[in-house]
């Protein structure tokens, strides 16, 4: 079955620096790759997603890149702010079901 | 719109007790899902319902049952709770997986089994 690996499990950055989180997937038929942000004690919320026919997508300070050949995709956050501190989950689709990575805890220090 | 709602928010059970977690959405979504979230394990799919009247197993269905009561409601039942079922449970819904896969999550139920 589909497997999604996510790295790193924790990431600490200084405010203003960039953060990059990487995921790899196993099912070459996967065609949708979302990223969810979960603040402490809250529900996961979609922050950006990308479909397999696109290599990169940006939304203000966040961007996602996809390399279908290598079966990996990454989340890039630029000019990080303390409110970016949260757990981030990547996911991919397998037969209409999302398979989630194990999460990355991002801490942004002022 | 309330979105996706879940009850209860917190629950403590003794081993062997049963309970039902309730989930409802008012967005007219077709598909609904139950996940459990454990530290370091991400979100794991327990059961899902692609449409009213259908349910299917996810990655970790053992020890659980579900009911898609109508389009709005999808409940999760623990027949005989075990300490291994201590977790945070999230319900989610998707409008139409054929067109968008974005999942809308409920606030979660924190369950402790002693």
């Amino acid at each position: 079955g589909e497997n999604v690996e996510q790295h790193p499990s924790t990431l600490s950055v200084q405010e203003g620096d960039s953060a990059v989180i990487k995921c790899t997937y196993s099912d070459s038929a996967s065609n949708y790759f979302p990223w969810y942000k979960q603040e402490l004690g809250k529900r996961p919320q979609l922050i950006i997603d990308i479909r397999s026919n696109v290599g990169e997508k940006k939304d203000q300070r966040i961007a996602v890149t996809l390399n279908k050949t290598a079966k990996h995709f990454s989340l890039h956050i630029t000019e990080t702010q303390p409110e970016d501190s949260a757990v981030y989950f990547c996911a991919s689709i397998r037969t209409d079901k999302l398979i989630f990575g194990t999460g990355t805890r991002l801490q942004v220090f002022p | 719109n309330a979105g996706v709602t879940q009850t209860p928010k917190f629950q403590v059970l003794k081993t062997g007790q049963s309970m039902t977690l309730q989930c409802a959405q008012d967005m007219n979504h077709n598909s609904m899902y139950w996940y459990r979230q454990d530290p370091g394990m991400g979100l794991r799919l327990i059961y899902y319902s692609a449409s009213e009247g259908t349910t299917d197993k996810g990655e970790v269905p053992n020890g659980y049952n579900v009911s898609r009561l109508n389009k709005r409601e999808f409940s999760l039942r623990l027949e005989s709770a075990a300490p291994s079922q201590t977790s945070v449970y999230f319900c989610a819904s998707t409008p139409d997986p054929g067109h968008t896969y974005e999942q809308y999550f409920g606030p979660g139920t924190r369950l402790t089994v002693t």
Side-chain angles (χ1 to χ4, degrees):
Chain A
E2 172 69 314
N3 186 45
V4 178
E5 294 189 3
Q6 182 171 348
H7 300 280
S9 56
T10 61
L11 180 60
S12 297
V13 300
Q14 203 78 30
E15 182 178 358
D17 288 349
S18 295
V20 181
I21 303 169
K22 298 181 179 180
C23 288
T24 59
Y25 61 98
S26 58
D27 187 352
S28 56
S30 295
N31 60 1
Y32 174 73
F33 307 93
W35 286 89
Y36 284 79
K37 176 183 180 182
Q38 185 179 27
E39 295 175 356
L40 190 62
K42 303 247 179 107
R43 71 193 79 187
Q45 291 191 296
L46 180 73
I47 55 171
I48 195 167
D49 56 13
I50 191 168
R51 292 188 180 263
S52 58
N53 57 350
V54 175
E56 183 176 4
K57 184 177 178 181
K58 287 184 181 178
D59 183 3
Q60 299 183 340
R61 295 186 298 107
I62 59 173
V64 56
T65 57
L66 171 64
N67 182 326
K68 282 201 69 181
T69 304
K71 288 194 261 185
H72 66 71
F73 57 111
S74 300
L75 178 71
H76 304 254
I77 306 174
T78 58
E79 300 171 27
T80 53
Q81 300 167 4
E83 52 265 36
D84 294 329
S85 296
V87 178
Y88 292 81
F89 293 97
C90 63
S92 71
I93 276 284
R94 179 170 66 86
T95 57
D96 291 348
K97 299 187 293 289
L98 285 180
I99 305 299
F100 286 87
T102 51
T104 296
R105 181 172 300 278
L106 173 65
Q107 290 183 297
V108 180
F109 293 98
Chain B
N1 284 355
V4 180
T5 57
Q6 291 182 236
T7 55
K9 285 188 168 56
F10 302 94
Q11 184 70 49
V12 179
L13 291 178
K14 292 188 190 305
T15 297
Q17 287 185 317
S18 62
M19 79 160 296
T20 300
L21 281 64
Q22 306 286 355
C23 174
Q25 51 90 10
D26 62 0
M27 298 176 284
N28 201 36
H29 286 177
N30 287 324
S31 298
M32 298 184 74
Y33 307 81
W34 276 106
Y35 294 92
R36 59 178 290 172
Q37 184 174 34
D38 303 294
M41 301 289 287
L43 291 149
R44 292 183 293 169
L45 183 65
I46 305 171
Y47 269 95
Y48 70 102
S49 170
S51 60
E52 185 179 352
T54 68
T55 60
D56 283 289
K57 295 178 181 179
E59 300 170 75
V60 289
N62 291 347
Y64 305 94
N65 283 302
V66 290
S67 295
R68 182 77 183 266
L69 304 169
N70 46 55
K71 192 169 186 179
R72 289 187 64 248
E73 299 171 289
F74 189 38
S75 62
L76 178 72
R77 182 158 178 85
L78 287 70
E79 291 291 351
S80 179
S84 60
Q85 294 178 305
T86 293
S87 188
V88 179
Y89 291 85
F90 286 99
C91 177
S93 67
T94 299
D96 178 355
H99 291 90
T100 174
Y101 296 112
E102 178 176 359
Q103 295 200 356
Y104 296 78
F105 285 84
T109 294
R110 187 174 294 275
L111 174 67
T112 302
V113 183
T114 62

